[in-house]
Amino acid sequence: MSFDGVFTHLMIEELSKELVRGRISKIHQPYTNEIILVIRNQGKNKKLLLSAHPSYARVQLTNIAYANPDTPPNFIMMLRKYLDGAILERIHQINNDRVIHFTFSRRDELGDLQNIVLIVELMGRHSTILLMNQETGKILDAIKHIGASQNTYRSLLPGVDYVEPPKQDLLNPFTTNDPVIFDRLSKAPELTKNYLQQQFQGLGADTATELAFRLNQAPNEKLRVWHDFFQTLEEKLSPTLVLQEKKDFFTPVPYQTLIEDAEIQTTETLSQLLDLYYHDKAERDRVKQQGSELLRKMENELTRNKKKLMKREKTLADSENAEEFRQKGELLTTFMTQVPRGATSVELPNYYEEDRLMTIALNPAWSPNQNAQKYFQRYQKLRNAVKLIGEQIRETKEEIAYLESVLAQLEIAGPMDVEIIREELQDQGYLKKPAKRQKKNKKSQPEIFYATDGTEILVGKNNLQNDQLTLRTARKTDFWLHAKNIPGSHVIIRSNTPSEETILEAAELAAYFSKYRYSAQVPVDLVQVKYIHKPNGAKPGYVIYENQKTYFITPEEEAIQERTKKPTA
């Protein structure tokens, strides 16, 4: 389901109960299109997320942790100027549209009470958040500045009059009286999703499809079905996540048109539902945005090193022919008088192989002696190269393994992990260190999971965490797991005698947090920490080990989610 007008209506009711009369204590802008307002109400701090993301626009309470930039953006400075300490007086929706007004009251520098309205418009790629002075109707600032050259209907710039989005001449399903609703439903040539959307405001595709289905189930009781549907939304809310094979949906109550042959999960509140639905999707998108430079850089480095490896392996293969080049040079020197000038090749008896004839390629522009010297030079070059090439190949393979591990970590990283990975790459010389000394990021911590029996399992999410976890945090008697010869996370079982069930659950975590998380039969090595060693000068996250036991695991995301909850006694 999209965040349509119906869902907006229900969300505002939920937020009003939780937030109205609360006071703003903190304001942050963790990402380009998203604002977090920390509102103190009913003795608790509650985080209100306002998102103008082109794909994930929404408003909700959230429990997800967000990183805050060192330097606050200009829009946040404006919000803090007008809203810091303000009281939330009212949250209301414009008709049944996806436009929400948060009205705040606050005394200005002169002590006069002023009302400021924070407006959130949830309209796909046109979504925006803006601050307006209620008395003057003028925009104080907007999260996206839109000038007349970009939108001829209205401008969203500081100082201009706020103009509402274009209105649709449709009926509000929550406020329209029964005779009008009955008239529209009765006149329909066919009650379809499209017809309902053309008559009533704020019905998303999923809601309109569900409503049309229910109305057609009882064609002679249209008004009763209509009232039952909206009464259920208002009084019997059951936030539902529908997991289909190819797509997920969120709905305020179970929709009959979606739940057949699908897995469903329910939550207590709409906000919890949105955290469940959007968390991974939005996280991946944020990581993609923040980590796009890192991904591009690492992919280029990986391609360059793979080409380098191919060249070095070819040099090693050629070195096996070094002896043949020496023999050709000696044969040309021995039988120089028999080598015709200007020839492209010559056959000479090879006294190294019982005088069998050997065909030797020649450069016709060179003398026999020059051709012989060229063969000796090639022999000497390969002989010198073979002394270094083995070490170079080993170093290049280690470099490739490291780059693949970074790419795998970027795939599973959260937004707060990206900056840690960036710092690691700066330390390793892949990225330039900023000229300006930046505030040191707080070290991110390994993720904590729990086995069925309550045993703690720690999972590193980047190479620095992996090193810290395996070499410093873990006890020598703890057990360590890692996908075998596959980039992925270090996993530690905090026990010296884990059960077989705990080992299998930890192995599933190691398989899931690896490059092959969606594969079947992922090999995972288990070994006690005391058998792990990090070679001198090795890249972050690289270790060697012995005495391992290998398990073959097929990870399942649902089981991984269960591991985040600590079992109750």
Side-chain angles (χ1 to χ4, degrees), residues 179-358:
V180 176
I181 293 173
F182 182 77
D183 180 64
R184 295 294 176 95
L185 295 179
S186 300
K187 286 182 177 178
E190 185 182 0
L191 278 172
T192 63
K193 173 196 77 171
N194 291 340
Y195 178 80
L196 292 176
Q197 287 183 305
Q198 290 163 8
Q199 302 298 319
F200 299 96
Q201 185 183 31
L203 298 184
D206 301 331
T207 303
T209 300
E210 177 69 12
L211 188 51
F213 171 78
R214 296 190 184 199
L215 289 167
N216 287 313
Q217 290 289 94
N220 297 323
E221 301 178 82
K222 295 184 179 69
L223 204 55
R224 180 190 63 77
V225 172
W226 179 276
H227 282 305
D228 285 349
F229 179 70
F230 283 96
Q231 187 175 0
T232 300
L233 293 178
E234 296 274 16
E235 299 177 5
K236 298 179 182 178
L237 202 64
S238 179
T240 303
L241 179 65
V242 182
L243 306 170
Q244 295 184 352
E245 188 175 342
K246 294 184 179 178
K247 191 176 180 182
D248 300 341
F249 301 85
F250 63 89
T251 58
V253 295
Y255 282 2
Q256 298 170 34
T257 50
L258 294 175
I259 63 176
E260 187 176 355
D261 299 326
E263 180 187 344
I264 66 169
Q265 298 177 30
T266 58
T267 60
E268 291 183 8
T269 67
L270 296 173
S271 292
Q272 289 172 359
L273 175 65
L274 295 186
D275 267 355
L276 193 62
Y277 178 83
Y278 280 115
H279 181 226
D280 285 344
K281 294 178 173 61
E283 289 275 289
R284 294 272 65 75
D285 184 80
R286 293 188 194 107
V287 171
K288 187 175 179 182
Q289 287 181 7
Q290 291 178 261
S292 58
E293 172 206 349
L294 304 187
L295 281 167
R296 186 169 59 252
K297 176 73 175 174
M298 292 302 96
E299 284 168 353
N300 289 342
E301 282 289 329
L302 184 60
T303 300
R304 187 176 68 82
N305 275 276
K306 284 182 175 179
K307 288 180 180 177
K308 187 195 295 183
L309 181 62
M310 286 176 63
K311 287 181 181 178
R312 288 177 172 175
E313 286 179 336
K314 185 178 184 303
T315 302
L316 183 63
D318 288 344
S319 69
E320 295 175 1
N321 300 321
E323 183 61 24
E324 183 179 332
F325 293 141
R326 185 188 65 79
Q327 289 180 14
K328 287 179 178 180
E330 288 198 0
L331 293 175
L332 287 173
T333 302
T334 303
F335 300 106
M336 196 171 295
T337 56
Q338 299 178 29
V339 180
R341 284 182 172 272
T344 57
S345 65
V346 66
E347 286 190 340
L348 297 174
N350 185 358
Y351 43 74
Y352 290 101
E353 295 185 4
E354 300 179 352
D355 288 340
R356 288 195 187 97
L357 290 177
M358 174 184 277

Side-chain angles (χ1 to χ4, degrees), residues 258-535:
L258 294 175
I259 63 176
E260 187 176 355
D261 299 326
E263 180 187 344
I264 66 169
Q265 298 177 30
T266 58
T267 60
E268 291 183 8
T269 67
L270 296 173
S271 292
Q272 289 172 359
L273 175 65
L274 295 186
D275 267 355
L276 193 62
Y277 178 83
Y278 280 115
H279 181 226
D280 285 344
K281 294 178 173 61
E283 289 275 289
R284 294 272 65 75
D285 184 80
R286 293 188 194 107
V287 171
K288 187 175 179 182
Q289 287 181 7
Q290 291 178 261
S292 58
E293 172 206 349
L294 304 187
L295 281 167
R296 186 169 59 252
K297 176 73 175 174
M298 292 302 96
E299 284 168 353
N300 289 342
E301 282 289 329
L302 184 60
T303 300
R304 187 176 68 82
N305 275 276
K306 284 182 175 179
K307 288 180 180 177
K308 187 195 295 183
L309 181 62
M310 286 176 63
K311 287 181 181 178
R312 288 177 172 175
E313 286 179 336
K314 185 178 184 303
T315 302
L316 183 63
D318 288 344
S319 69
E320 295 175 1
N321 300 321
E323 183 61 24
E324 183 179 332
F325 293 141
R326 185 188 65 79
Q327 289 180 14
K328 287 179 178 180
E330 288 198 0
L331 293 175
L332 287 173
T333 302
T334 303
F335 300 106
M336 196 171 295
T337 56
Q338 299 178 29
V339 180
R341 284 182 172 272
T344 57
S345 65
V346 66
E347 286 190 340
L348 297 174
N350 185 358
Y351 43 74
Y352 290 101
E353 295 185 4
E354 300 179 352
D355 288 340
R356 288 195 187 97
L357 290 177
M358 174 184 277
T359 301
I360 302 174
L362 302 172
N363 186 327
W366 297 340
S367 68
N369 184 52
Q370 286 174 318
N371 274 291
Q373 293 307 312
K374 284 294 178 184
Y375 275 112
F376 284 131
Q377 288 171 12
R378 290 178 69 183
Y379 163 71
Q380 196 61 44
K381 185 177 179 181
L382 289 173
R383 188 180 173 190
N384 292 337
V386 79
K387 296 175 183 176
L388 301 173
I389 203 70
E391 180 65 17
Q392 289 175 338
I393 287 174
R394 184 190 64 78
E395 289 174 356
T396 307
K397 284 182 176 179
E398 286 182 2
E399 188 89 353
I400 288 171
Y402 175 72
L403 294 170
E404 286 178 339
S405 76
V406 171
L407 287 170
Q409 286 157 8
L410 284 169
E411 287 179 17
I412 63 175
M416 288 187 285
D417 296 319
V418 173
E419 289 308 309
I420 304 295
I421 294 174
R422 187 189 303 277
E423 281 188 13
E424 175 189 329
L425 294 174
Q426 288 170 351
D427 289 342
Q428 294 298 312
Y430 293 100
L431 299 175
K432 286 184 179 179
K433 290 187 178 181
K436 199 174 181 181
R437 194 170 181 181
Q438 292 183 325
K439 180 182 173 184
K440 195 78 173 173
N441 283 318
K442 184 180 178 182
K443 283 188 178 179
S444 60
Q445 298 300 315
E447 197 163 350
I448 302 174
F449 295 85
Y450 298 94
T452 303
D453 63 7
T455 302
E456 195 173 79
I457 303 171
L458 303 179
V459 177
K461 303 294 281 294
N462 56 61
N463 281 317
L464 296 180
Q465 278 186 16
N466 286 338
D467 271 0
Q468 178 72 28
L469 182 58
T470 302
L471 304 174
R472 295 179 179 83
T473 304
R475 298 179 292 256
K476 294 294 183 184
T477 53
D478 288 342
F479 279 81
W480 178 91
L481 301 98
H482 193 283
K484 185 181 182 70
N485 299 326
I486 299 168
S489 296
H490 291 201
V491 175
I492 294 292
I493 302 174
R494 300 285 277 169
S495 171
N496 59 354
T497 55
S499 67
E500 189 68 13
E501 183 182 16
T502 295
I503 289 172
L504 290 173
E505 289 169 350
E508 187 168 16
L509 287 166
Y512 182 77
F513 290 106
S514 77
K515 186 178 180 180
Y516 291 171
R517 59 161 54 186
Y518 299 117
S519 303
Q521 298 296 297
V522 180
V524 175
D525 281 344
L526 168 78
V527 66
Q528 214 164 8
V529 173
K530 64 183 178 181
Y531 296 113
I532 296 172
H533 172 66
K534 186 176 184 71

